[in-house]
Amino acid sequence: YYLEANILCRNLIEVYVKMRYFEKHKEQLATFEQPHLNPRKRPSVGFRTMFDEVLPGYYDDEYRWMLSHMSHGGVGARIFKVDFRSQTEHTADTGVFFKEKWSSFVVNNLTNYIFGYIRLYKHIYPEVIKSLENDIASELVDVENLLEKNFYEHVRIKGGENSWHKHSKLIWDF
């Protein structure tokens, strides 16, 4: 189920990027993905443009090769179901098995997306946040603190910040 979870993560980041991009460019939303208004029958703005503005570097390093390539059946999709022992020796995984590496891949992305959605919601709807009851507002702050702590613990475990950390931090630190 790691490939399927990865595809869902891809959908989450696409929606998030669209929300952040169109929050800044509301005027472009009127013609986005509306073929009757756009004779080219293509979106008026592409994902690369949106990603490059709201998450610089994320498109090539994370979205294109990891999330999108796998989602469209690229060779990368096989990593979840084939055990490559060498260039010439491999076996197919025909069952459902827990694999810590792939689970971590999904969970690490998902926690950053959740953190990003929380921060974006607070940015877009500050009045709603201000109107929350104190205990709910406090819990929301606790969740954000936990997610941020989790991110920096991952940096520590990996021995320092890598490119995934650099690009993924932009999801919630804006």
Side-chain angles (χ1 to χ4, degrees):
Y1 297 106
Y2 300 110
L3 177 59
E4 292 83 356
N6 192 62
I7 292 168
L8 293 174
C9 282
R10 174 182 170 248
N11 292 344
L12 287 171
I13 197 64
E14 286 177 350
V15 170
Y16 173 82
V17 167
K18 285 180 184 180
M19 289 174 66
R20 280 208 36 208
Y21 183 84
F22 288 119
E23 195 271 328
K24 292 180 180 182
H25 302 283
K26 292 174 180 68
E27 74 286 353
Q28 293 182 24
L29 189 56
T31 58
F32 182 72
E33 292 186 341
Q34 297 187 30
H36 65 285
L37 298 175
N38 186 351
R40 296 181 298 140
K41 295 186 180 181
R42 296 184 56 115
S44 55
V45 60
F47 272 125
R48 178 180 274 294
T49 300
M50 289 187 260
F51 271 93
D52 286 349
E53 181 167 328
V54 301
L55 299 174
Y58 195 92
Y59 184 89
D60 281 328
D61 291 348
E62 307 303 330
Y63 174 79
R64 184 171 155 209
W65 290 111
M66 294 302 292
L67 298 171
S68 189
H69 188 67
M70 288 180 196
S71 297
H72 291 288
V75 175
R78 295 183 190 150
I79 66 172
F80 298 112
K81 295 303 279 179
V82 178
D83 181 14
F84 293 96
R85 293 191 175 98
S86 72
Q87 290 182 350
T88 58
E89 185 182 348
H90 57 275
T91 57
D93 178 348
T94 58
V96 178
F97 302 99
F98 176 74
K99 296 180 182 173
E100 184 177 352
K101 180 179 180 178
W102 302 132
S103 174
S104 175
F105 177 76
V106 172
V107 170
N108 290 330
N109 278 319
L110 186 58
T111 56
N112 274 319
Y113 301 161
I114 291 168
F115 198 2
Y117 272 101
I118 290 170
R119 289 269 169 97
L120 182 59
Y121 187 86
K122 289 173 73 173
H123 174 75
I124 294 173
Y125 304 109
E127 295 305 316
V128 173
I129 300 303
K130 290 177 187 174
S131 70
L132 292 175
E133 295 178 18
N134 288 341
D135 58 333
I136 294 172
S138 178
E139 285 180 20
L140 186 58
V141 169
D142 290 345
V143 168
E144 286 183 89
N145 289 337
L146 180 64
L147 291 169
E148 188 168 2
K149 181 180 177 183
N150 179 67
F151 179 84
Y152 286 112
E153 179 64 12
H154 190 270
V155 171
R156 186 192 66 74
I157 290 169
K158 291 296 184 179
E161 187 175 270
N162 59 33
S163 64
W164 180 83
H165 296 120
K166 177 184 168 193
H167 296 129
S168 296
K169 184 177 178 183
L170 298 173
I171 296 169
W172 51 266
D173 190 16
F174 62 95

